């Protein structure tokens, strides 16, 4: 009898099909991952490991399904260790485990997709492989060129001309149902802010994009399942082939130690060998010693109380050892030049942001939070000695025209301008002959920023551009023409209202502003036209506005005179709501009254005029929506 029972048990167990850590093609998020799938005649059990921020929650929807390679659907039955549609709070470790059960899956199924549904933000995994052995036999298609690096390649002088650049792309193993759009980001010294466009992926996994550039332009395409960086140049074609299998393996928490499926990206066309080197052998530099979080904290404490000069000396002292690492690397001269530029940019950005960094060190070391941290940051002054930035003259790589090959080069000018030390940098470098290219680009960006703020080119700016290479002028004029067209279009837009504050005292200002909208739920946004996070948040919030358009919510925007009048008038047609532009005195009063330490700052106000929520910095669409819905229910 015992032997018979054991035989029956063994036969039953033999029917179970188990796949340990199944490989997959792509996922929309790395927060959860499949550790094991057990398939029996009665149930399919998916063992999941979650990786997420401690004390935050994740959720699995009741509409979750598995879809097999034959198109059949298997709806989730239940969760084990997790309740469907309920918040699952992550422990201190940031890791957790649970199981999901589904109906039995036939033996002939070789591939599955997992989806929570078609709603925005739904978690998805594509191409979960049940036949690991066959999947591991990866062969690169014959029409994909593998570019080998030439270790003698030197970095050419960048061509400066206004011309079209072409990107040709392909995604290996792309399948129907995967996201068919990607977001393009690029940045050059005139278009200072990361620009965004959409890349359309065809059913065969190919994509194509062309754009006008005037210099070497580092770009990135971000897909829901990964990202790829590449270089564009005037009159050149760049090609990229994205290997989803390897991309997914590298993203995986559980499978990073497995054998690679070739390269993550294969480059072709413009400087393909150098681009391949940069992707295959990335190097980064940390000016804070220590590998663990505890060691990092100790280094931060050591910086607390240091003067600007002491802080800079510590950064400069690390440069020789990093330069030695680059010299000893096996990369080509071109590769090393770009990496050296990155090293100098890392150091230069830290020096340029000395005041910000030393303030943050104090805040972290002393555990300041909320209003205390904001007040310290806003009111504390760090002494920056005269001539402090002259050490940048020794950074020969970032003074070179070849610096444009590095993706962080435009960020240098953006930060210089944002923290308001344009003049100090110009004075520090004005007598340095080799710095003329950097100074030219700084001036070009200041013109570009003015246009970004919706100010057409003026005569002074046109004269400045005429002293630069013709390509700069061509790019700026093209941007200016687009801007003039946009201004004309804005004149015909509706959906926004310009309001006057009227003759009221400072004390009555805010009550007067919101009194007109009493009885409605309000989202009040204190913002500025020059504030990048403000503009980014306004874009992110658009889908929420559309979703809640039938709700009794009014969007109210308040800015001050630091937002130039012309810029403000041209910007608000795309920001639907009620707009106020107050005086400097009124803005200062509101900041003090409500302890507004930065922009954007948001208030949610209920129908009775009570502030139910306040936040400096965009909290995210989900939080904003949650707070508005709470106020609506009051």
């Amino acid at each position: 009898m015992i032997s018979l029972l054991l035989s029956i048990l063994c036969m039953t167990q033999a029917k179970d099909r188990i796949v340990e850590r199944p490989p997959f093609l792509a996922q929309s998020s790395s927060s959860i991952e499949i550790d094991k799938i057990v398939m029996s005649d009665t149930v399919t059990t998916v063992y999941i490991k979650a990786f997420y921020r401690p004390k935050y929650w994740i959720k699995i929807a009741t509409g979750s399904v598995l879809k097999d390679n034959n198109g059949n659907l298997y709806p989730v039955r239940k969760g084990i260790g997790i309740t469907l549609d309920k918040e699952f709070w992550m422990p201190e470790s940031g890791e957790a485990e649970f199981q999901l059960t589904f109906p039995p899956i036939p033996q002939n199924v070789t591939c599955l997709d997992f989806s929570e549904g078609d709603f925005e933000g739904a978690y998805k995994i594509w191409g979960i492989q049940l036949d690991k052995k066959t999947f591991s036999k990866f062969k690169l298609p014959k029409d994909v060129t593998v570019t080998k690096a030439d270790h003698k390649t030197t970095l050419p002088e960048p061509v400066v001309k206004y011309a079209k650049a072409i990107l040709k792309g392909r995604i290996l193993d792309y399948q129907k149902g995967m996201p068919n759009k990607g977001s393009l980001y690029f940045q050059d010294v005139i278009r200072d802010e990361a620009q965004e466009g959409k890349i359309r992926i065809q059913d065969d996994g190919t994509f194509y994009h062309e754009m006008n550039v005037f210099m070497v332009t580092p770009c990135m395409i971000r897909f829901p399942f990964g990202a790829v960086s590449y270089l564009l140049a005037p009159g050149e074609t760049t090609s990229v082939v994205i290997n989803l299998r390897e991309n997914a393996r590298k993203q995986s928490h559980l499978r990073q130690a497995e054998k690679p499926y070739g390269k993550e990206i294969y480059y072709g066309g413009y400087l393909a060998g150098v681009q391949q080197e940069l992707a295959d052998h990335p190097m980064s530099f940390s000016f804070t010693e220590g590998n663990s979080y505890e060691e990092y904290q100790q280094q931060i404490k050591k910086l607390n109380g240091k003067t600007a000069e002491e802080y800079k000396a510590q950064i400069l002292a690390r440069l020789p050892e990093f330069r030695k690492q680059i010299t000893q690397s096996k990369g080509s001269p071109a590769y090393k030049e770009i990496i050296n530029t990155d090293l100098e940019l890392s150091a230069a950005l830290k020096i340029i942001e000395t005041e910000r960094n030393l303030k943050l060190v104090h805040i972290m070391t002393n555990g300041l939070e909320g209003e205390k941290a904001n007040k310290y940051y806003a009111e504390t002054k760090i002494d920056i000695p005269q001539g402090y930035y002259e050490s940048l003259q020794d950074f020969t790589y970032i003074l070179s025209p070849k610096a444009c090959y590095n993706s962080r080069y435009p960020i240098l000018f953006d930060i210089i301008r944002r923290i308001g030390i344009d003049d100090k940098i110009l004075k520090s470098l004005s007598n340095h002959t080799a710095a003329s290219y950097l100074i030219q680009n700084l001036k070009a960006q200041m013109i570009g920023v003015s246009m970004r703020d919706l100010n057409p080119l003026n005569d002074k700016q046109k004269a400045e551009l005429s002293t630069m290479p013709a390509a700069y002028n061509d790019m700026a004029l093209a941007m200016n023409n687009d801007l003039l067209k946009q201004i004309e279009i804005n004149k015909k837009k509706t959906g926004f209202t310009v309001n006057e504050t009227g003759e009221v005292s400072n004390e009555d200002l805010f009550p007067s502003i919101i009194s007109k909208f009493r009885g409605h739920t309000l989202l009040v946004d204190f913002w500025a036209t020059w504030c990048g996070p403000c503009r980014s948040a306004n874009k992110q919030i658009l889908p929420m506005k559309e979703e809640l358009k039938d709700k009794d919510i009014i969007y109210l925007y308040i800015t001050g005179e630091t937002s130039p009048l012309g810029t403000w008038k041209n910007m608000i047609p795309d920001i639907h709501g009620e707009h106020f532009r107050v005086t400097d005195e009124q803005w200062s009063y509101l900041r003090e009254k409500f302890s507004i330490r930065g922009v954007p700052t948001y208030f949610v106000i209920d129908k009775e005029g009570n502030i139910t929520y306040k936040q400096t910095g965009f909290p995210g669409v989900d939080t904003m929506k949650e707070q508005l819905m709470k106020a609506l229910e009051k």
Side-chain angles (χ1 to χ4, degrees):
M1 180 64 71
I2 292 173
S3 298
L4 178 62
L5 288 173
L6 286 173
S7 298
I8 294 172
L9 180 61
C10 290
M11 290 174 64
T12 302
Q13 288 177 335
K15 292 180 181 179
D16 288 353
R17 184 180 176 193
I18 301 174
V19 183
E20 299 278 358
R21 298 189 173 178
F24 55 91
L25 291 175
Q27 59 185 355
S28 60
S29 169
S30 59
S31 57
I32 67 172
E33 199 166 324
I34 297 175
D35 188 40
K36 180 172 64 174
I37 301 178
V38 177
M39 293 161 280
S40 72
D41 289 340
T42 58
V43 65
T44 298
T45 305
V46 178
Y47 291 73
I48 288 177
K49 288 191 175 182
F51 304 88
Y52 203 55
R53 288 175 291 178
K55 299 183 179 180
Y56 281 74
W57 57 265
I58 60 175
K59 188 187 293 185
I60 300 293
T62 52
S64 298
V65 295
L66 292 175
K67 180 180 179 181
D68 69 22
N69 50 288
N70 300 312
N72 300 311
L73 300 179
Y74 307 86
V76 67
R77 287 176 172 175
K78 67 175 182 178
I80 302 173
I82 189 172
T83 303
L84 301 178
D85 279 337
K86 297 290 185 182
E87 290 89 351
F88 179 90
W89 293 90
M90 295 297 293
E92 286 284 357
S93 65
E95 297 184 17
E97 299 180 15
F98 55 86
Q99 301 162 36
L100 300 175
T101 65
F102 299 85
I105 292 172
Q107 288 286 329
N108 65 344
V109 172
T110 60
C111 182
L112 296 168
D113 292 341
F114 171 83
S115 174
E116 280 193 295
D118 293 328
F119 58 89
E120 185 179 352
Y123 180 74
K124 297 183 180 183
I125 312 176
W126 296 275
I128 304 165
Q129 303 297 313
L130 303 183
D131 185 355
K132 293 175 66 175
K133 187 175 181 180
T134 300
F135 186 75
S136 65
K137 297 176 181 178
F138 172 73
K139 288 187 178 180
L140 192 68
K142 293 181 179 179
D143 59 341
V144 176
T145 301
V146 179
T147 304
K148 295 183 178 180
D150 181 354
H151 294 302
K152 296 180 180 180
T153 300
T154 57
L155 199 60
E157 287 292 329
V159 174
V160 179
K161 68 177 181 179
Y162 184 61
K164 185 177 294 182
I166 294 174
L167 171 71
K168 294 181 178 180
R170 177 180 173 187
I171 302 174
L172 300 181
D173 289 316
Y174 184 82
Q175 64 184 46
K176 189 175 181 180
M178 286 184 177
N180 61 1
K181 291 180 182 177
S183 296
L184 168 67
Y185 300 90
F186 65 93
Q187 193 169 6
D188 58 45
V189 297
I190 294 182
R191 295 170 289 190
D192 83 297
E193 193 175 41
Q195 306 291 309
E196 181 178 356
K198 295 298 179 184
I199 299 291
R200 174 80 180 188
I201 306 169
Q202 304 302 314
D203 290 343
D204 62 356
T206 60
F207 54 92
Y208 177 92
H209 185 74
E210 59 182 46
M211 57 188 276
N212 290 319
V213 299
F214 70 103
M215 65 192 313
V216 175
T217 304
C219 304
M220 172 187 284
I221 299 177
R222 188 175 296 281
F223 301 106
F225 42 73
V228 55
S229 298
Y230 57 95
L231 296 173
L232 291 181
E236 300 283 355
T237 297
T238 298
S239 68
V240 294
V241 176
I242 302 171
N243 181 1
L244 278 187
R245 299 184 189 210
E246 179 59 10
N247 181 276
R249 186 197 68 81
K250 289 183 72 173
Q251 287 186 36
S252 169
H253 293 278
L254 304 176
R255 300 174 46 241
Q256 289 184 12
E258 294 179 6
K259 182 181 177 181
Y261 298 95
K263 296 181 183 295
E264 186 177 5
I265 304 166
Y266 296 90
Y267 291 88
Y270 176 68
L271 284 184
V274 179
Q275 297 207 55
Q276 195 71 60
E277 280 187 283
L278 293 169
D280 293 348
H281 307 289
M283 290 184 70
S284 60
F285 308 96
S286 173
F287 288 87
T288 305
E289 293 179 351
N291 296 318
S292 69
Y293 179 73
E294 290 75 18
E295 290 174 325
Y296 171 77
Q297 289 286 62
Q298 288 299 318
Q299 289 297 314
I300 290 296
K301 289 180 180 178
K302 289 180 181 179
L303 287 174
N304 189 36
K306 287 191 177 295
T307 65
E309 288 288 2
E310 290 171 334
Y311 175 72
K312 182 173 69 172
Q314 181 168 317
I315 293 167
L316 297 178
R318 298 295 304 277
L319 289 178
E321 66 174 281
F322 290 141
R323 287 189 172 124
K324 184 178 180 180
Q325 291 177 24
I326 298 171
T327 301
Q328 293 176 343
S329 69
K330 296 181 180 179
S332 67
Y335 165 84
K336 292 179 180 180
E337 192 161 350
I338 294 175
I339 298 299
N340 267 305
T341 303
D342 194 62
L343 170 60
E344 289 191 353
L345 283 168
S346 300
L349 290 172
K350 285 194 170 294
I351 292 170
I352 288 167
E353 292 192 289
T354 293
E355 184 168 7
R356 167 189 174 274
N357 293 339
L358 288 179
K359 286 180 181 181
L360 292 178
V361 163
H362 179 88
I363 289 170
M364 293 173 64
T365 304
N366 292 279
L368 302 183
E369 296 179 352
E371 292 301 325
K372 288 184 178 180
N374 291 334
K375 184 176 181 180
Y376 174 83
Y377 192 91
E379 297 178 359
T380 303
K381 181 69 175 175
I382 303 293
D383 180 48
I384 304 296
Q386 188 174 356
Y388 183 75
Y389 304 106
E390 289 181 0
S391 57
L392 298 181
Q393 296 178 13
D394 299 325
F395 290 1
T396 56
Y397 286 100
I398 65 173
L399 298 183
S400 164
K402 295 181 184 180
C404 65
Y405 284 101
N406 193 283
S407 61
R408 293 202 291 172
Y409 184 59
I411 299 172
L412 175 69
F413 305 106
D414 181 44
I415 291 178
I416 288 172
R417 178 188 51 77
R418 275 197 295 108
I419 64 178
I421 58 172
D422 319 52
D423 291 338
K424 291 180 180 179
I425 295 290
L426 289 172
K427 288 177 182 177
S428 295
L429 301 178
S430 58
N431 295 324
H432 196 289
T433 306
S436 59
Y437 181 73
L438 186 145
I439 292 172
Q440 169 186 282
N441 287 334
L442 178 55
K443 291 179 178 178
Q445 189 183 83
M446 292 163 69
I447 293 172
V449 168
S450 177
M451 284 191 285
R452 183 208 67 192
D453 289 341
L454 305 179
N455 299 306
L457 286 174
N458 57 41
D459 291 340
K460 182 180 178 181
Q461 290 169 334
K462 290 177 181 178
E464 186 79 67
L465 285 165
S466 69
T467 67
M468 301 179 189
Y472 286 69
N473 190 61
D474 293 340
M475 170 60 83
L477 287 177
M479 291 173 60
N480 193 56
N481 289 335
D482 290 341
L483 173 57
L484 292 173
K485 292 176 184 177
Q486 186 60 49
I487 289 173
E488 290 303 312
I489 293 172
N490 285 348
K491 292 177 181 177
K492 301 175 184 178
K493 290 182 178 178
T494 59
F496 68 100
T497 304
V498 175
N499 295 271
E500 299 293 336
T501 58
E503 296 292 331
V504 295
S505 66
N506 288 340
E507 291 78 7
D508 294 332
L509 176 61
F510 192 70
S512 173
I513 287 174
I514 66 172
S515 64
K516 178 181 177 180
F517 312 104
R518 193 70 176 259
H520 304 277
T521 297
L522 307 180
L523 174 57
V524 183
D525 181 349
F526 293 89
W527 72 296
T529 59
W530 44 262
C531 166
C534 300
R535 295 194 303 273
S536 175
N538 285 335
K539 289 180 181 179
Q540 293 179 59
I541 215 170
L542 282 174
M544 185 197 79
K545 281 185 168 181
E546 179 63 24
E547 181 185 350
L548 303 180
K549 64 182 179 181
D550 295 328
K551 303 292 184 182
D552 186 17
I553 301 172
I554 291 176
Y555 301 90
L556 200 155
Y557 298 87
I558 301 175
T559 193
E561 290 182 306
T562 61
S563 295
L565 182 60
T567 302
W568 179 70
K569 284 183 177 180
N570 284 320
M571 197 174 284
I572 61 175
D574 289 322
I575 307 173
H576 290 185
E578 305 289 334
H579 290 268
F580 292 82
R581 183 173 178 269
V582 300
T583 66
D584 283 339
E585 181 186 344
Q586 291 171 329
W587 182 262
S588 295
Y589 176 81
L590 292 174
R591 285 187 60 186
E592 187 66 29
K593 169 74 175 176
F594 295 108
S595 299
I596 298 172
R597 301 300 178 189
V599 289
T601 289
Y602 302 93
F603 292 175
V604 173
I605 300 178
D606 66 19
K607 297 174 184 179
E608 301 301 319
N610 302 308
I611 299 174
T612 61
Y613 177 74
K614 176 185 173 184
Q615 171 69 32
T616 295
F618 184 53
V621 174
D622 291 342
T623 299
M624 193 69 81
K625 179 181 174 182
E626 179 184 351
Q627 294 299 327
L628 285 169
M629 297 306 292
K630 284 182 180 179
L632 280 168
E633 293 168 2
K634 286 184 176 287

